[in-house]
Each structure stands twice: as structure tokens, then as C-alpha cells.
Amino acid sequence: MSEISAAHLMVQCLEAEGVERIFAVPGEENLDLLEALRESSIQLVVTRHEQPAGFMAACHGRLTGQPGVCLSTLGPGATNLVTAAAYAELGAMPMVMITGQKPIKSSKQGHFQIVDVVDLMRPVTRYTRQVVSGETIPARVREAFRQAEEERPGATHLEVPEDILREDVDASPMTPSRARRPVAEDKAIAQAVAAIEQARRPLLMVGAGANRKVTARMLRQFVDRFGIPFFTTQMGKGVVDEAHGCWVGNAALSDGDFVHRAIDEADLIINVGHDVVEKPPFFMREGKRKVIHINFSGAEVDAVYFPQLEVVGDIGNAIWQLNERITPQPHWDFDFAHRVRAALDQDLAGFTERDGFPVHPRRLVHDVRQAMPDDGIVALDNGLYKVWFARNYRARRPNTVLLDNALATMGAGLPVAMGARLVHPERKILAVCGDGGFMMNSQELETAVRLKMDLVVLVLRDDAYGMIRWKQQDMNLPDFGLSFGNPDFVQYAESYGAAGHRVETTDALAPVLADCLARPGVHLIDCPVDYSDSQRQLFKDIPERSRALNP
């Protein structure tokens, strides 16, 4: 074996892990690695800021199951990745971050730009290491990828100093190991079967951890075979088709919606793939009902979540075993759940013809759903509209509504849509962003244009941090400190080489969406939105109508 540079070895290790692209804002400490990447099979996607590079990498991991990779320099470049690290770690998205560092053996720059990035990353990753020898690169890379993609997936980090990359090494990549996840214990499966068969009104809850191909297929068989009603958490949307007759809603709120009437009357909830990182879909109460926790790992007990029975192991296999062993019971009673579904259908149809302007969020969600094909992907930033999309947008397939209900950071919508575009170039992709979140990473429009993406960005303009303004109103506080100005979004998009569009009537939204989705290139749509009655709708009208449903 002939010696090669540690930088080239690093790239070979990434290729051995199946890495196809790296999202990056390189610095001088990465130049040797950059040169090695130039000669490799890996696509370098240069972004305008490190945070969106991390969001794109996390999205790649979320959609493929293989860790996305992002690269930054030391100091400020590395600190800009921290939010993306937390986004991936809390959201269970496999991601590997590589950051540069000054030489560690000899440096004449003092502490210039030096931050202890390894310790900085420790609270938001499951693995963070500084590479101190070129010979250890294969093991470090393999371990970073192994831990990133292990259930529950998340973020890992490697810091590679400049002088280490320049070492000559006699080493080669390690072959990735392939391990099968352990299956649940037979006694736990038997207890779950007995609990489900004994229940009178069982209810299935589908969370983010169920978003795996095999698990989704097994869950669809489960629902079809037994007719047990189901609902989804925000991040579980689309795992099972929400047009299915057994769907009773999405827990966009923690209480007070139609779906919570079905939850209130259930005597057993079969929780598949949810954990307490995601905002509670409902509040558990002692003695109210039994909950079965089915997940890759044991339940993290919290005041709002304390399951009585746990089935720990591969989720897909666990559901398959339940499918094989459960016998449908004549005493199961799903009549009330079906009435909840009928009432929800009637509610979701409301306001869809409303033509007042600015656009009402219900009308907005309806028009987007009509415009998007079943396999089209909607990437949501964070704001009040996310609640309306989670609640009202019926996802037909897994991973077609990309939202974050764990870290719930602003600024991710556009980068996530761009990451989805690179993974699925054949699909229609729509980013939905509030004006506040969009402007946090709007510079990535240039990246999208440069990469010749076909992408539509719907910017919902209310000239304020609308979600917090809504909370302020809920607390009966004066309207203060949450308004801002915006650029002319049409001209702003055009300055980057994208096409800009402005919605000036509610009836114009649907045709503009259809036109932009049908045309190539990057399109930005400036759409004024009216959240003024969201408080009344979500916390008065809907709870009143749902409470009127009696078992």
C-alpha cells in the first residue's frame, strides 16, 4: 500500500460510506480536503451560510436514511452549524458534520478563531471527536457514520485540523458494517396483543419514528386488516395515507381538537414511533387510559408521557408480529371515532372557498393541497401556518410534509426544500415559509439558482413574527415588538435570477401555484396572509364544535 495524504484518505472514507454530496462553506483549514474532493466522485454543494448547509444535510439524512454530510471551517463557521446539529439530533435525522481547525502540532496564530468546537458540539450530538492522527481517520469516520445512522438517528461531528489533513498515511477506508436491529421480546408482543384485543376502543398513534419504508407498509396492513382508527403526530404525517377512512386527524395541537375527542374516548392508545422530543400530541392523565409504547428504544418518561406497556425493538418487525397474532374482536367499537372523522371532514372543508384578502390560512392550505401531486413534497418553515398545515393538509405518502416539531427552528424551510430537490429531482417541491423565517436564510436562493433547481418558494407575508404575535394576543398583552419591514420580494427574487410573483387576490393563489409548479427554474411567490382569526378558530370555535360530539 502506498502512502496518500490524510485529506485524500478522508475523502476515500466518505466515498466508502456512500456519500454522494457534501454541503459546505469551506475555509482555508479545509483547502487540502477541498482539493481531494475536487478529484473525487462526491458533489460539492457550496452554500451561502453554514446553517442552511446543515439543514440540507439533515434533510438528506431524513429522506434517505443515510447520513447527510456538511463541512465548515473552524471558529465562526463551526459555531454556525450548532443550530443545524440540534435540528438533526432532536429531529432524529442522520447527519455528519466535518469542521476544520488550526494546526494542533505547531501554530503561530495564537488563539485566533479558536473555539473548543468538540465541547461546543457535545450537548447537541451523540458523537464528537477531534482527529489527532491521520492514521485514525478510517475508524473515526466509520464511528461517526455508525452512530449517526443508528436508531434513534442524529448528528455526529468530526474536527479535522489542518496539519492532520497534510499528513502522509498508510491506511485505507474501513468497510461499513451492516447490522440488523434487534426485535422485540416475544412476551412484550404477547402482552401488546392481549391489551389490544381486550380494549374496547383502541386507537393507533403514528409518530416520526414510524417513518420507515417497512414500518409504513406494515402499519398500512395493520389499519386495513383491523380497521383500528389512527391519528398522526406532526412529524408522523403521511406514514399512513391520511385520506384513509380510518384517519381521525393530526394532533397539531395538544388538546381541544376533533382528534382529541377520539383520544379522550379511547381506552388504549397504540403509540408507534413517538417520543417526548416532539411536542405532546395529547396529555396523558393517570388512570385515564392505557398506552402501549412501540419504538426502537424504551420510553423516556415525562409528566405528559408514561406508558404502561413497552414493546422495544425494530418497529416494522413489531407491527408485523402484531399483524400476525391479533384476532379482530367483536366488542371493538369504532363508531364514535368514525363520527369524529365525519365531523373533522366537515371542519376541514370549511373556509376553503373564502375569498377575503389577505389569504386565510385554511384557504391557503386547501389551495396548496389541490396544487401538489400526491408525491409532491411540501417543506415547511416554522410559524403559525405550520399548525394549519399539520392539521388541514392531508399527506398521502411518507415524507411529503417535511416539518420540524422537535427543535422547531425558523430558517429551515428553504434549505430543507433544496435538500429534498437534490434527493428527489423528479418530484414537485414547494417551500412554505413565513416572511420572518424566509429572511433568515433567503440568501440560499442564489444557491438554488446556481444549481439550476426547479423549486417553488411560497412566502407568507404578514410583516411580523406572526406566531409570537399570536401568543402575545393570547396572553392579552399589547401588540409590541414583533413587527418588521420586508423587501419587495418579487424584486428580491429577481435580483438572484429567480422569477418573482405576487398574489394580489385570494383567487389568484391557485393559478399562480399551478403555473410555477409547471415551469422550470426557481420561483418565489409573495402571498399576504391573514392570521387574525386563528386565535378564535383554534382555541374557541374548533374546541366548541369538537366538545359538542358526544359518544
Side-chain angles (χ1 to χ4, degrees):
M1 184 184 300
S2 59
E3 288 190 340
I4 59 172
S5 74
H8 281 85
L9 175 61
M10 184 90 181
V11 170
Q12 288 180 9
C13 290
L14 296 174
E15 289 178 319
E17 297 289 344
V19 174
E20 296 178 352
R21 61 180 61 92
I22 292 177
F23 305 92
V25 180
E28 62 179 285
E29 291 73 26
N30 310 123
L31 288 177
D32 293 284
L33 190 59
L34 205 63
E35 175 60 17
L37 284 169
R38 184 182 67 82
E39 300 172 349
S40 75
S41 63
I42 297 173
Q43 177 190 9
L44 181 69
V45 179
V46 176
T47 63
R48 303 306 298 268
H49 192 281
E50 293 86 355
Q51 186 187 89
F55 289 148
M56 292 179 203
C59 176
H60 181 279
R62 179 178 187 171
L63 293 179
T64 67
Q66 305 299 315
V69 181
C70 54
L71 171 71
S72 83
T73 188
L74 80 171
T79 60
N80 281 342
L81 284 176
V82 171
T83 297
Y87 172 82
E89 181 63 20
L90 267 68
M93 306 172 200
M95 179 176 77
V96 175
M97 298 172 289
I98 301 170
T99 63
Q101 189 52 274
K102 294 293 183 187
I104 57 174
K105 297 178 181 178
S106 176
S107 178
K108 297 180 180 180
Q109 297 196 47
H111 286 181
F112 176 66
Q113 290 192 310
I114 299 296
V115 176
D116 190 339
V117 177
V118 172
D119 269 1
L120 182 71
M121 289 290 186
R122 206 174 303 281
V124 290
T125 62
R126 72 265 319 278
Y127 178 81
T128 175
R129 293 289 189 279
Q130 182 186 73
V131 178
V132 297
S133 166
E135 300 286 346
T136 65
I137 285 176
R140 289 285 185 244
V141 171
R142 177 81 284 273
E143 183 63 7
F145 275 79
R146 186 189 71 81
Q147 291 208 29
E149 61 192 356
E150 215 175 31
E151 293 293 349
R152 184 178 184 267
T156 63
H157 166 248
L158 292 174
E159 179 180 81
V160 191
E162 186 177 4
D163 54 348
I164 300 301
L165 286 172
R166 290 176 179 166
E167 288 183 352
D168 291 326
V169 294
D170 185 4
S172 58
M174 298 180 71
T175 302
S177 57
R178 297 294 175 224
R180 292 185 62 82
R181 290 184 286 265
V183 299
E185 183 191 32
D186 184 73
K187 288 183 179 178
I189 294 290
Q191 290 174 344
V193 169
I196 294 168
E197 291 182 346
Q198 292 166 12
R200 184 165 177 264
R201 288 178 171 174
L203 186 63
L204 173 68
M205 181 173 78
V206 181
N211 203 350
R212 309 289 190 275
K213 289 181 180 179
V214 172
T215 304
R217 188 167 66 249
M218 291 298 104
L219 282 170
R220 179 60 188 253
Q221 291 179 12
F222 182 91
V223 172
D224 287 343
R225 181 174 298 178
F226 304 119
I228 294 176
F230 74 96
F231 70 100
T232 61
T233 70
Q234 288 194 35
M235 294 181 72
K237 287 186 69 64
V239 173
V240 181
D241 186 352
E242 292 178 353
H244 195 288
C246 291
W247 181 68
V248 294
N250 175 271
L253 303 172
S254 297
D255 203 2
D257 206 341
F258 290 93
V259 66
H260 296 105
R261 295 295 291 116
I263 294 170
D264 288 343
E265 296 304 320
D267 56 356
L268 175 71
I269 293 180
I270 309 159
N271 170 4
V272 181
H274 170 69
D275 61 49
V276 295
V277 169
E278 190 172 356
K279 187 177 180 181
F282 67 94
F283 298 121
M284 282 192 67
R285 295 176 177 87
E286 190 69 45
K288 178 67 176 176
R289 68 185 68 82
K290 181 178 288 188
V291 173
I292 302 175
H293 172 90
I294 303 177
N295 215 325
F296 297 103
S297 56
E300 182 178 343
V301 175
D302 189 87
V304 298
Y305 187 62
F306 41 91
Q308 294 85 358
L309 177 60
E310 298 189 35
V311 178
V312 179
D314 182 87
I315 298 178
N317 179 270
I319 302 302
W320 173 78
Q321 291 195 60
L322 294 178
N323 284 338
E324 293 295 306
R325 295 169 67 167
I326 291 173
T327 300
Q329 299 297 308
H331 62 260
W332 283 347
D333 181 3
F334 303 137
D335 287 348
F336 182 66
H338 292 318
R339 286 172 52 208
V340 169
R341 164 60 183 259
L344 176 65
D345 283 344
Q346 185 177 14
D347 176 83
L348 295 184
F351 288 79
T352 57
E353 301 301 322
R354 180 167 175 167
D355 57 4
F357 191 76
V359 181
H360 191 281
R362 283 179 177 260
R363 173 68 183 268
L364 173 86
V365 175
H366 172 267
D367 285 1
V368 170
R369 177 65 279 184
Q370 294 296 110
M372 293 297 289
D374 288 350
D375 67 346
I377 295 174
V378 176
L380 297 169
D381 208 283
N382 272 278
L384 184 52
Y385 54 89
K386 187 185 79 169
V387 176
W388 286 111
F389 268 91
R391 183 184 185 276
N392 287 42
Y393 188 96
R394 299 193 194 207
R396 303 298 308 275
R397 298 188 187 179
N399 282 322
T400 54
V401 177
L402 303 181
L403 59 78
D404 169 24
N405 196 35
L407 184 65
T409 178
M410 296 173 70
L414 174 59
V416 166
M418 293 167 62
R421 162 55 59 209
L422 291 169
V423 173
H424 293 297
E426 76 289 356
R427 295 201 198 178
K428 302 295 184 184
I429 310 289
L430 173 69
V432 180
C433 310
D435 45 5
F438 171 71
M439 288 304 293
M440 289 185 178
N441 279 313
S442 63
Q443 73 282 345
E444 297 308 326
L445 281 177
E446 187 280 326
T447 306
V449 170
R450 173 168 27 96
L451 296 178
K452 296 180 172 57
M453 290 185 173
D454 295 334
L455 182 69
V456 180
V457 184
L458 179 60
V459 179
L460 308 181
R461 177 165 52 81
D462 67 337
D463 302 311
Y465 292 116
M467 171 71 87
I468 311 306
R469 199 178 193 182
W470 171 54
K471 296 285 187 181
Q472 191 178 57
Q473 177 188 356
D474 185 43
M475 295 171 66
N476 295 314
L477 294 171
D479 185 356
F480 174 74
L482 296 169
S483 299
F484 48 70
N486 277 308
D488 183 317
F489 284 122
V490 172
Q491 292 184 20
Y492 186 72
E494 291 171 349
S495 73
Y496 284 113
H501 311 264
R502 183 172 286 112
V503 172
E504 296 181 325
T505 66
T506 292
D507 287 340
L509 175 59
V512 168
L513 274 171
D515 180 59
C516 291
L517 287 166
R519 292 164 57 192
V522 178
H523 296 265
L524 182 148
I525 304 171
D526 173 4
C527 179
V529 64
D530 179 12
Y531 296 123
S532 60
D533 77 338
S534 288
Q535 175 71 23
R536 177 179 59 83
Q537 285 275 320
L538 292 171
F539 291 108
K540 184 177 182 295
D541 292 358
I542 290 171
E544 285 181 356
R545 291 198 299 272
S546 65
R547 282 195 298 269
L549 284 171
N550 294 313

